[in-house]
Amino acid sequence: MQRLASRAVLAALIALLPLLGGCVSGYFAALNRGAPPAPPSSLSFLPRQDVALDVFPVQGEGEAPVVVFFYGGRWQDGERADYAFVGEQLAAAGIVTVVADYRLYPEVRFPTFVEDAAAAVAWARENAARYGGRPDALFVAGHSAGAHIAALIGSDPRYLAAHGLRPKDLAGVIGVAGPYDFLPLRADDLIEIFSADPATQAASQPVNHIDGDEPPFLLLHGESDLLVWAENSRRLKARFDAIGAPAELRLYPGVGHVRILGSLRYPALAPTRTDLIEFVHRHAAR
């Protein structure tokens, strides 16, 4: 069974890392150290709901792959400004990157935040060329709750169908420390977010949607993750293997939930960034 720890536990783990300076704000300050104070382009893609995204372009004429990245936060915390380091790092590697907000609990519940994320993906496909990207080389990625959202967009066709797209229109999905198979729900806030209805809960699990119509998946997980157990990624990979669909799994010994995110900025922590970039460029070339 997978476990999601509370924000208090997350804060305690964060405080143990030398990068953090003892608090969440210090953690993100360390990750964003040296980044420009504002991204090149910030705009609202759901203006009625006041939901926005930041675009980190690359130079060129529509030749670069595109990654839409969703942050974690237990579906109830987070903001795109804290993840500028992801956009900067991937753009420097030749990948147009979109870091998108989505509405959070308690403002919304499942599946609204996935629907918001799908709208961001549709926006990225339509506007990729304006920022040097290729619409046919579009990837979805995320960390923790964001990986869950990315996996649902890449496996449950109803979300992209609302925008005239299919999961196969994606070039790939990258999940970093994601919860993909986390029933039964025991925490009160998760039951509030995902409903007490068994059918709704089942629909929220990416593992239940793998049926062969997905793009290639890359699953990255730390074996020492105590917030979202690596068994999530193992079980999702096993489901892909059972139907003969493409998925790659990379497990990092000694790496936990916070460290794997930090490794996107500081590669000495884990090879997460290298593996992600290699996967994107390899599949974009196909």
Side-chain angles (χ1 to χ4, degrees):
M1 181 192 71
Q2 176 272 351
R3 182 174 66 186
L4 294 170
S6 68
R7 282 171 286 175
V9 175
L10 174 59
L13 288 177
I14 286 174
L16 295 176
L17 294 179
L19 291 173
L20 308 188
C23 64
V24 174
S25 61
Y27 176 54
F28 286 111
L31 293 180
N32 286 298
R33 185 175 296 130
S41 182
S42 181
L43 54 90
S44 176
F45 66 96
L46 289 174
R48 288 186 178 181
Q49 294 82 13
D50 193 27
V51 185
L53 53 77
D54 294 338
V55 185
F56 299 79
V58 300
Q59 300 299 317
E61 299 295 329
E63 295 298 324
V66 181
V67 167
V68 184
F69 181 87
F70 300 105
Y71 50 76
R74 202 175 166 91
W75 305 276
Q76 53 197 295
D77 290 300
E79 57 182 311
R80 69 188 190 280
D82 286 337
Y83 294 80
F85 71 94
V86 176
E88 291 293 329
Q89 294 297 315
L90 298 187
I95 300 169
V96 175
T97 307
V98 176
V99 181
D101 280 331
Y102 52 92
R103 285 174 289 171
L104 301 167
Y105 172 83
E107 180 185 358
V108 302
R109 290 161 173 77
F110 175 80
T112 302
F113 44 78
V114 189
E115 294 166 348
D116 287 356
V121 173
W123 183 95
R125 182 178 173 92
E126 182 176 351
N127 293 278
R130 293 171 51 196
Y131 300 95
R134 289 172 42 201
D136 64 338
L138 177 62
F139 297 77
V140 180
H143 170 252
S144 193
H148 165 265
I149 290 170
L152 279 177
I153 290 172
S155 61
D156 185 341
R158 63 176 165 159
Y159 298 110
L160 289 179
H163 305 277
L165 300 171
R166 306 169 301 156
K168 281 286 193 180
D169 291 323
L170 301 173
V173 174
I174 303 105
V176 182
Y180 312 116
D181 183 13
F182 54 96
L183 297 183
L185 301 179
R186 293 190 172 90
D188 290 342
D189 62 337
L190 295 183
I191 295 171
E192 279 285 317
I193 291 168
F194 291 103
S195 165
D197 174 58
T200 303
Q201 290 186 8
S204 74
Q205 305 297 292
V207 71
N208 292 335
H209 298 286
I210 306 303
D211 58 10
D213 68 346
E214 297 79 24
F217 270 56
L218 173 64
L219 306 174
L220 307 174
H221 221 121
E223 291 189 320
S224 296
D225 195 328
L226 301 179
L227 299 181
V228 178
W229 291 355
E231 192 62 24
N232 280 269
S233 289
R234 292 190 182 97
R235 287 198 293 262
L236 190 61
K237 175 64 163 63
R239 176 60 186 157
F240 276 101
D241 291 345
I243 64 170
E248 301 173 37
L249 173 61
R250 312 280 173 84
L251 296 172
Y252 305 137
V255 173
H257 196 72
V258 176
R259 183 173 174 179
I260 199 171
L261 175 62
S263 68
L264 292 172
R265 173 65 175 83
Y266 296 103
L269 295 174
T272 314
R273 186 176 74 193
T274 299
D275 289 344
L276 188 159
I277 290 169
E278 186 279 330
F279 177 85
V280 168
H281 284 301
R282 172 162 44 94
H283 285 277
R286 293 182 176 178

